């Protein structure tokens, strides 16, 4: 599989995640679609499940720079490929956020800031990093357990998507539960709002690295050494 095809798959998956995720946040402001946090979590979960399944056999279905960096630390992707993946993910995410802003009502987009994740009152920078790290750690565990492990059940990306549902229900009211630097950066760039943005890189990358380390060092059977 060529690197270009894999990068395009990552861009497509991240575009869909950000378009549907941010779009769900915006549409939740409409009286007829006031589904609240549960609906927003469900939208993120289903689109991630579908897009991971759609891209799994092309690019591995990362759709998240933190996941890519976690796999890089685990030596499951080369530095060069990881760089292409991350650029593609960020580009796809920005396009997704821009499309939401272009197509959905401007007043609703402005009301929720296009779904830019934010720390709620009482959540400090350090606490926000810790929350995002724990959430992403659990997401990475779901990825390893349902898609990476040789004995993983053949459920495509639906186990990964389902994890997003309960993780957003727990963390959505605290940090926005981005767990994905592309999901955070894309609407932030389109809206020009980078308040506490570092939380959404530091926390997810730490969490993904910790999840990858746990599975690589403890839970997975050791891979045979390369000849």
């Amino acid at each position: 599989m060529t690197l270009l095809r894999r990068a395009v798959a990552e861009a497509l998956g991240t575009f869909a995640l950000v378009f549907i995720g941010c779009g769900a946040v915006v549409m939740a402001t409409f009286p007829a679609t006031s589904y609240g946090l549960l609906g927003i979590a469900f939208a993120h979960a289903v689109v991630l499940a579908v897009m991971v399944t759609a891209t799994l056999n092309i690019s591995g279905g990362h759709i998240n720079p933190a996941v890519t960096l976690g796999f890089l630390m685990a030596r499951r992707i080369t530095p060069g490929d990881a760089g292409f993946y991350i650029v593609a993910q960020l580009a796809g995410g920005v396009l997704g956020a821009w499309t939401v802003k272009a197509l959905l009502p401007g007043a609703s987009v402005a009301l929720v800031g296009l779904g830019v994740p934010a720390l709620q009152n009482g959540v400090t920078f350090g606490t926000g990093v810790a929350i995002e790290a724990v959430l992403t750690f659990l997401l990475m565990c779901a990825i390893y357990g349902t898609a990476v492990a040789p004995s993983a059940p053949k459920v495509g990306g639906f186990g990964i998507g389902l994890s997003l549902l309960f993780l957003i229900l727990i963390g959505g009211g605290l940090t926005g539960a981005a767990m994905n630097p592309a999901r955070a950066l894309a609407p932030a760039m389109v809206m020009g709002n980078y308040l506490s943005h570092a939380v959404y890189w530091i926390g997810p990358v730490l969490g993904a690295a910790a999840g990858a380390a746990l599975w690589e060092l403890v839970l997975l059977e050791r891979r045979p050494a390369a000849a």
Side-chain angles (χ1 to χ4, degrees):
M1 200 71 66
T2 66
L3 179 56
L4 177 60
R5 287 181 65 191
R6 288 183 281 140
V8 170
E10 287 295 308
L12 172 63
T14 315
F15 168 86
L17 174 65
V18 173
F19 176 74
I20 296 298
C22 291
V25 174
V26 172
M27 293 305 298
T29 65
F30 282 59
T33 55
S34 55
Y35 38 68
L37 182 61
L38 178 60
I40 292 170
F42 188 75
H44 280 82
V46 173
V47 69
L48 183 65
V50 171
M51 296 314 298
V52 169
T53 301
T55 59
L56 194 59
N57 291 328
I58 302 173
S59 64
H62 296 191
I63 313 180
N64 185 334
V67 171
T68 298
L69 289 171
F71 283 141
L72 175 62
M73 295 173 194
R75 299 183 180 180
R76 289 184 176 270
I77 188 172
T78 66
D81 286 5
F84 272 98
Y85 271 40
I86 292 170
V87 169
Q89 291 156 357
L90 296 177
V94 170
L95 181 59
W98 180 86
T99 304
V100 172
K101 186 178 181 182
L103 297 180
L104 298 189
S108 296
V109 168
L111 181 64
V112 295
L114 193 57
V116 178
L119 302 181
Q120 299 304 305
N121 291 336
V123 179
T124 65
F125 184 91
T127 301
V129 168
I131 291 170
E132 287 288 321
V134 170
L135 297 177
T136 313
F137 167 79
L138 294 174
L139 174 63
M140 197 69 170
C141 287
I143 292 169
Y144 264 89
T146 64
V148 176
S151 59
K154 305 303 181 183
V155 294
F158 285 87
I160 298 168
L162 183 61
S163 70
L164 216 60
L165 177 60
F166 58 77
L167 293 172
I168 292 176
L169 289 178
I170 291 297
L174 300 172
T175 65
M179 297 170 277
N180 184 332
R183 171 62 182 83
L185 179 64
M189 285 188 66
V190 172
M191 298 301 289
N193 176 10
Y194 298 96
L195 187 64
S196 301
H197 182 70
V199 166
Y200 303 101
W201 283 88
I202 299 171
V205 171
L206 290 177
L214 174 65
W215 280 82
E216 295 286 350
L217 299 177
V218 180
L219 298 179
L220 289 181
E221 292 184 5
R222 292 299 178 91
R223 287 178 285 170

